[in-house]
Amino acid sequence: MSKLAALLAYDAGLLSDEGARRVERALARSAQVRRELASARAAAAVLGDVGPAPVDWPRLDVGLAAALAAEQTFGEARAATAIPPLDLTRLEASLPRAIATARATDALLGELGVATSVPSSIPSFDADRLEARLMAALATSGAPAQDAREAGHADAAPANEALPTGRSALARIEGGGARRPAADAKEAIAWRALLAYAEDTLSADGRRRVEAKLARSAAHRDALARVRALARASAEAIVAPTPDVSSVELPLRREVRRIAARRRMTRVGLATACLAAAAALLLLMTRGAPEPEPVATRPTPVAPPAPTFVAEARALDAEVTAIAGAAFAEGVDDPLGLGDRLLEGSVIRVRGALHGRLAEGTGLVLDGGPTEAPRRRARPMVDEAPEAALRLERLREDRVELALLAGRVSNEVRHGTRYVVHAGPYAIEVRGTRFAVRREGDVVSVQVDAGTVAVLEGDEEIALLEAPATWRSHPEAAHAGAAERPRAASADAPWPALRLPASRFVWVELDGTALPAAGGLAMRAPPGEHELVAFDDRGLRHRATVTLRDEGQTLDERELVPERLSPRRGYLPPEVIQGVVQPRVSALRRCYERSLRRTSPDLEGSYTLRVQVGADGSVRGVRVITNGETPPPFVRCLELEAETWVFPRPEGDAALSFDLPLAFAARGI
Amino acid sequence: MPVIPSSALGLPTLPQDTATSARPGALRMNEPSEADPLIARAAAGDQAAFQQLFRQHRDTVARVVHRFLGPSHELEDVVQEVFVHVYRSLPSFRGDSKFSTWLYRLTANVTKMHLRKKRSRPRFADVPVPETREDSPQERPDDVAERNERVEALYRLLDRLAEKKRTVLVLHDLEGLAAKDIAEIVDAPVLTVRTRLFYARKELYAALAEEPALASVVARFLDELPGRPAAEAEDTSSERASKGART
């Protein structure tokens, strides 16, 4: 054996000069040695042919020979050679294949007539022996996982590159040397054996041995079950279909266009620099010798061409003006807060709502979608709220470009601003308007509340929407809903902050802005008195009057008091109410006509009269609800008029309130 | 990674082609020849050529990113980022390696960067796993839900692996690449790849029990194994014997 090992080592170029000389002397002396070398080379060639991937066979063969001839080591050959690092892992991985190829080789060598000497003298190709050794390692090793724990590897995996190499590897696989490293290698072999068993690449005998081991050892059974479970989970992960990403194409195209433009700009810059250098050179060359009267005759210097700056438009000073729930700018650990800058290029993700001011008169609201009517009742908690995501592609004075990734963005755009919202394959372009875009996957819907927007697909305009208008990319698409008005989009100076920490309230309204409140909120509001309405998770209204000072204010949820509920509610049939109100509508119209004549010639609009009726049928209170500016004398006139109404005693002998919608135009009611 | 038949394990059967799709093999990118004029044109800044290149490779890139991230709503972002990198780096692609290898490497690196960023970010609620292919009508919703749970659990475990180990494991066991190809992608010797794979699997084996969804699979496989450990059998028989003696 040592002779064969020496021959293999010689063939692989592993011997020292002295070792190689000795082998060559033996080759010259003995025909038998020459035959053995030829056989070994034939075997290596066959193995090389059989192997599906190019493998460093001579080296591997030496490794195999070394590993498997534990008791018949290289002997003098080893003493004379420096043994290079062995591919121990690869060696182990290729064991099942080596078994198969060795069998094929044996058969082939038998046919070639060299069987007489080779099989007996190359035990490394003895498949049974190979497997026996594998099994022996398995039998003497502890359970793989158990060993790992004992060796302290369970928590800290050994460094990837800290592989057993060289002599120590040989010692390990031979079972010599220190016990611990050998156990490490055996553990690896045990795992390989289990893998081979699970892959069904062992011979019947091998399977029997593994099964015998499994029957004896619960730890090995557990290890095999884990091997199978992981294989199973991996297979299941593969089943999951890959989502379609064709929608990436459009934003990608834009990005690529931008990169290309930047490249061109760099090239222009370089060319300008070259021109400037050439001009400077020209100047030097034309100067010539100094003139006698330098002042009078100094040549006019050739001015270098003015550098052409393709200046980027100024970045917008965009900031967060209201925030409810959780919002993050991608790549930043801290959540976004009130007053934080919105930076070009960042992706904003929101659960809840975020209001941002981009420029004077231009702002946006990012949220999961419109709230359903009757809204403000029990709302989902913030972490259940749908996520909205928006990439701020461009925030510059010349143009604002946003890419809506999910959810809804409501936009208020000052006239004259170039403003584009990309949503999936669509682009929604505007010039001065208020509109909302909603995206769920590739389904996009748009609602325009003021002004005009164009919907583009690629470069093609597919819809032109004039307010009031809605558009959906798919008939089933959810509506975008009315655009929320961004807070403080037109504030001349930064408004103070009003904060409400996380509380039992799910929804808060202030000056027409409604925000989810469960995760806490903060918003900008003008200094002065505000009425804040909050809804708890039972839909109960709470109110507080807040006087906001310049330094801002944090509200305590206890400051919000529930609206007083009548223990019983009265009832008046609609026709009864109508019977009382109808004959008196002319008085309300007179209020309107008086205001038209005296104070507000342009007055028109819709109003709601909220009327509270006492248990005795008399009107106890009237409020005019309006979402625009209404002249106070007009409001007062309406209220005074309504307060004179008398209704029959309500059913149930209790108070009630009802809303009366009114619409006034110059033609009358 | 061996693919275990799921019959008789009480686990739903996987669609037929999954076993084969995950087998280690050659790189499965839509391989253009190195002298592909499309690549040269795209490298020279031809946007139409780049668009065509995107269409050719988007599914593969999406698949690889998907394998790395698992169920995620950030897939599109990452795929886009990969192709932006492709466009930026194409001029420096010299054809020293195959285009597919280069693309795999770039995809793996961009995804790794993304995962790194994600780790430093608070997580929003879990993303539901997308519904599985429509051609498995025999699957009950319960089965689908359970499988989704297992897949999510697997990705939670993958999140705990060191980056290099995760890369190798995903490319080998999920994407089905051969170690030789992975070695080229991660620019490490084959031996190192195998070592990383071995330790990655070992860590996963050890951690399986911490995920209830996967621990139950282990338990089921354990039950299916032939024979019982002698020690256990002895214990039970001696218990029975002692019970018998008492009665």
Side-chain angles (χ1 to χ4, degrees):
Chain A
M1 176 57 211
S2 63
K3 189 162 62 184
L4 175 75
L7 287 176
L8 287 168
Y10 169 76
D11 235 14
L14 299 174
L15 292 183
S16 66
D17 289 349
E18 169 59 22
R21 269 198 297 279
R22 280 165 64 184
V23 170
E24 277 158 11
R25 276 203 297 277
L27 283 169
R29 271 202 309 273
S30 161
Q32 170 69 15
V33 174
R34 282 201 297 279
R35 262 201 309 281
E36 282 185 19
L37 180 61
S39 305
R41 284 182 176 171
V46 171
L47 284 173
D49 287 341
V50 175
V55 176
D56 188 358
W57 280 107
R59 196 163 155 212
L60 193 62
D61 292 347
V62 173
L64 271 171
L68 296 163
E71 69 289 358
Q72 312 164 43
T73 52
F74 276 123
E76 60 187 70
R78 187 165 62 172
T81 56
I83 295 169
L86 287 179
D87 276 6
L88 184 64
T89 314
R90 191 161 78 180
L91 185 76
E92 284 162 0
S94 56
L95 279 181
R97 194 173 56 200
I99 293 169
T101 50
R103 287 204 167 114
T105 312
D106 283 355
L108 195 67
L109 290 178
E111 283 170 24
L112 291 173
V114 289
T116 43
S117 62
V118 174
S120 60
S121 60
I122 309 184
S124 56
F125 298 141
D126 183 338
D128 291 333
R129 190 167 170 162
L130 191 69
E131 204 171 289
R133 181 148 190 85
L134 193 69
M135 294 313 138
L138 179 66
T140 54
S141 71
Q146 210 176 347
D147 264 13
R149 275 195 296 276
E150 281 170 11
H153 289 318
D155 297 324
N160 289 330
E161 271 72 33
L163 259 184
T165 51
R167 283 173 195 280
S168 67
L170 206 60
R172 287 177 200 193
I173 206 147
E174 283 172 5
R179 177 69 189 85
R180 193 40 67 197
D184 207 27
K186 277 181 181 169
E187 182 210 334
I189 292 175
W191 278 118
R192 300 272 168 215
L194 287 177
L195 270 171
Y197 177 78
E199 282 176 334
D200 204 15
T201 51
L202 289 180
S203 69
D205 187 44
R207 290 190 68 78
R208 270 196 301 280
R209 287 168 192 235
V210 171
E211 278 160 12
K213 181 74 187 173
L214 288 170
R216 282 197 307 278
S217 156
H220 278 82
R221 287 159 56 86
D222 178 61
L224 180 61
R226 283 166 193 257
V227 167
R228 290 186 162 170
L230 182 60
R232 171 79 200 181
S234 302
E236 284 180 336
I238 294 164
V239 182
T242 306
D244 177 37
V245 290
S246 47
S247 61
V248 169
E249 187 168 329
L250 262 175
L252 181 68
R253 217 158 62 190
R254 278 195 304 277
E255 190 62 35
V256 161
R257 268 208 297 263
R258 199 170 302 156
I259 297 170
R262 245 180 264 151
R263 276 188 194 156
R264 277 197 296 276
M265 234 158 67
T266 317
R267 278 200 286 274
V268 169
L270 276 177
T272 312
C274 291
L275 273 176
L281 197 64
L282 189 71
L283 176 66
L284 284 176
M285 285 162 64
T286 51
R287 261 190 156 173
E291 296 291 320
E293 289 172 287
V295 176
T297 57
R298 184 189 292 272
T300 313
V302 179
T308 46
F309 289 113
V310 186
E312 277 278 53
R314 207 166 68 86
L316 293 177
D317 202 2
E319 66 156 26
V320 177
T321 55
I323 197 152
F328 288 88
E330 219 164 74
V332 180
D333 291 348
D334 294 330
L336 279 169
L338 201 63
D340 278 354
R341 290 283 305 275
L342 292 170
L343 296 174
E344 184 177 271
S346 57
V347 174
I348 310 293
R349 294 189 183 279
V350 178
R351 279 187 196 277
L354 176 142
H355 289 230
R357 175 190 191 275
L358 305 185
E360 174 55 33
T362 301
L364 59 83
V365 181
L366 183 62
D367 59 20
T371 52
E372 295 116 29
R375 64 188 209 168
R376 327 294 187 233
R377 292 220 116 212
R379 299 293 311 159
M381 302 309 276
V382 167
D383 40 356
E384 288 164 22
E387 186 188 290
L390 181 76
R391 185 169 31 239
L392 309 171
E393 301 238 15
R394 187 182 176 86
L395 290 182
R396 302 217 168 237
E397 280 181 343
D398 63 337
R399 198 167 79 248
V400 170
E401 248 184 282
L402 312 169
L404 181 64
L405 308 176
R408 179 177 71 153
V409 62
S410 304
N411 312 272
E412 187 162 274
V413 185
R414 191 186 190 185
H415 190 79
T417 310
R418 289 204 60 194
Y419 195 100
V420 187
V421 178
H422 301 282
Y426 306 101
I428 295 91
E429 273 196 28
V430 285
R431 283 169 186 78
T433 192
R434 192 168 75 249
F435 71 111
V437 182
R438 183 177 188 183
R439 177 178 177 191
E440 283 169 350
D442 261 347
V443 178
V444 173
S445 49
V446 179
Q447 176 157 337
V448 187
D449 293 340
T452 309
V453 309
V455 182
L456 291 91
E457 189 170 14
D459 295 332
E460 190 193 343
E461 187 176 305
I462 55 171
L464 188 69
L465 311 174
E466 275 184 53
T470 58
W471 176 87
R472 291 179 287 175
S473 68
H474 189 270
E476 311 281 307
H479 278 291
E484 299 281 345
R485 300 200 75 151
R487 282 205 73 74
S490 299
D492 296 327
W495 286 345
L498 177 66
R499 296 173 197 277
L500 177 67
S503 62
R504 66 205 154 96
F505 297 112
V506 291
W507 209 271
V508 162
E509 285 180 6
L510 181 102
D511 308 338
T513 301
L515 288 169
L521 61 86
M523 68 172 103
R524 297 241 180 259
E529 197 168 279
H530 299 268
E531 193 178 56
L532 192 109
V533 179
F535 296 78
D536 67 14
D537 52 3
R538 291 174 300 159
L540 203 61
R541 290 163 69 102
H542 293 64
R543 287 175 184 278
T545 305
V546 183
T547 307
L548 192 59
R549 290 175 301 274
D550 285 335
E551 63 272 21
Q553 192 174 346
T554 301
L555 273 180
D556 186 331
E557 66 169 301
R558 284 169 300 188
E559 289 178 58
L560 284 145
V561 288
E563 272 190 345
R564 202 158 49 85
L565 284 181
S566 164
R568 286 177 296 149
R569 295 198 84 100
Y571 175 72
L572 281 173
E575 56 273 15
V576 172
I577 295 177
Q578 208 173 1
V580 174
V581 172
Q582 197 65 50
R584 293 164 177 84
V585 162
S586 55
L588 299 178
R589 194 192 298 152
R590 276 197 296 278
C591 287
Y592 172 66
E593 284 165 355
R594 205 176 303 146
S595 293
L596 273 185
R597 280 195 306 273
R598 292 185 184 171
T599 55
S600 319
D602 298 320
L603 184 67
E604 61 177 10
S606 303
Y607 307 91
T608 301
L609 223 53
R610 181 162 293 165
V611 183
Q612 290 178 330
V613 182
D616 60 356
S618 65
V619 172
R620 295 291 176 85
V622 179
R623 251 186 79 209
V624 177
I625 300 165
T626 163
N627 44 16
E629 270 191 25
T630 316
F634 174 53
V635 171
R636 193 64 205 133
C637 178
L638 291 177
E639 287 172 349
L640 284 172
E641 196 56 50
E643 275 168 13
T644 64
W645 298 344
V646 178
F647 294 88
R649 184 176 280 268
E651 291 172 25
D653 283 335
L656 67 98
S657 79
F658 63 88
D659 284 354
L660 185 70
L662 300 169
F664 294 100
R667 290 185 303 275
I669 297 176
Chain B
M1 178 65 55
V3 176
I4 309 298
S6 57
S7 54
L9 285 173
L11 294 170
T13 315
L14 293 174
Q16 278 301 304
D17 58 343
T18 52
T20 47
S21 69
R23 302 312 297 161
L27 292 173
R28 285 178 290 134
M29 289 261 179
N30 201 348
E31 183 61 80
S33 73
E34 296 319 316
D36 191 335
L38 199 61
I39 295 178
R41 274 168 48 209
D46 180 338
Q47 291 175 30
F50 178 73
Q51 191 179 346
Q52 222 173 318
L53 209 61
F54 166 77
R55 286 182 185 166
Q56 265 179 24
H57 296 285
R58 68 181 178 202
D59 290 342
T60 313
V61 169
R63 192 187 62 237
V64 177
V65 173
H66 186 55
R67 301 270 193 256
F68 270 104
L69 299 186
S72 165
H73 45 62
E74 287 163 335
L75 179 91
E76 286 186 7
D77 296 350
V78 180
V79 170
Q80 181 177 334
E81 213 177 318
V82 169
F83 278 101
V84 167
H85 273 83
V86 168
Y87 185 76
R88 284 208 178 110
S89 315
L90 258 182
S92 64
F93 172 65
R94 301 190 193 293
D96 297 338
S97 59
K98 281 191 283 187
F99 179 74
S100 55
T101 308
W102 184 79
L103 188 52
Y104 259 107
R105 189 182 303 151
L106 211 138
T107 307
N109 286 340
V110 170
T111 315
K112 251 183 332 201
M113 295 305 293
H114 178 82
L115 284 168
R116 224 177 269 172
K117 269 192 270 176
K118 200 177 103 185
R119 279 182 185 180
S120 64
R121 250 196 343 249
R123 282 178 72 124
F124 285 124
D126 285 334
V127 184
V129 180
E131 285 301 305
T132 314
R133 59 188 63 198
E134 290 156 8
D135 59 359
S136 43
Q138 75 276 19
E139 284 200 283
R140 290 176 301 132
D142 286 3
D143 295 340
V144 175
E146 278 178 24
R147 190 184 52 232
N148 290 348
E149 213 173 295
R150 287 193 291 273
V151 172
E152 282 169 18
L154 176 69
Y155 275 96
R156 276 197 294 276
L157 293 185
L158 286 179
D159 273 342
R160 285 156 52 174
L161 286 183
E163 217 170 69
K164 287 177 177 175
K165 280 185 258 183
R166 180 189 180 130
T167 303
V168 167
L169 187 108
V170 167
L171 289 178
H172 190 276
D173 283 356
L174 300 186
E175 180 57 12
L177 294 187
K180 177 170 68 76
D181 295 327
I182 299 173
E184 223 179 310
I185 291 165
V186 302
D187 197 19
V190 178
L191 171 65
T192 308
V193 168
R194 289 204 178 281
T195 313
R196 285 179 195 166
L197 180 63
F198 173 69
Y199 283 110
R201 282 179 182 168
K202 212 174 95 170
E203 277 178 46
L204 290 183
Y205 292 147
L208 282 178
E210 294 167 33
E211 285 289 347
L214 297 176
S216 67
V217 180
V218 175
R220 273 193 262 182
F221 275 114
L222 202 54
D223 287 345
E224 285 302 315
L225 284 178
R228 300 173 64 204
E232 269 180 44
E234 276 167 24
D235 285 353
T236 332
S237 57
S238 60
E239 265 173 40
R240 274 199 206 115
S242 60
K243 270 185 196 167
R246 260 181 260 136
T247 52

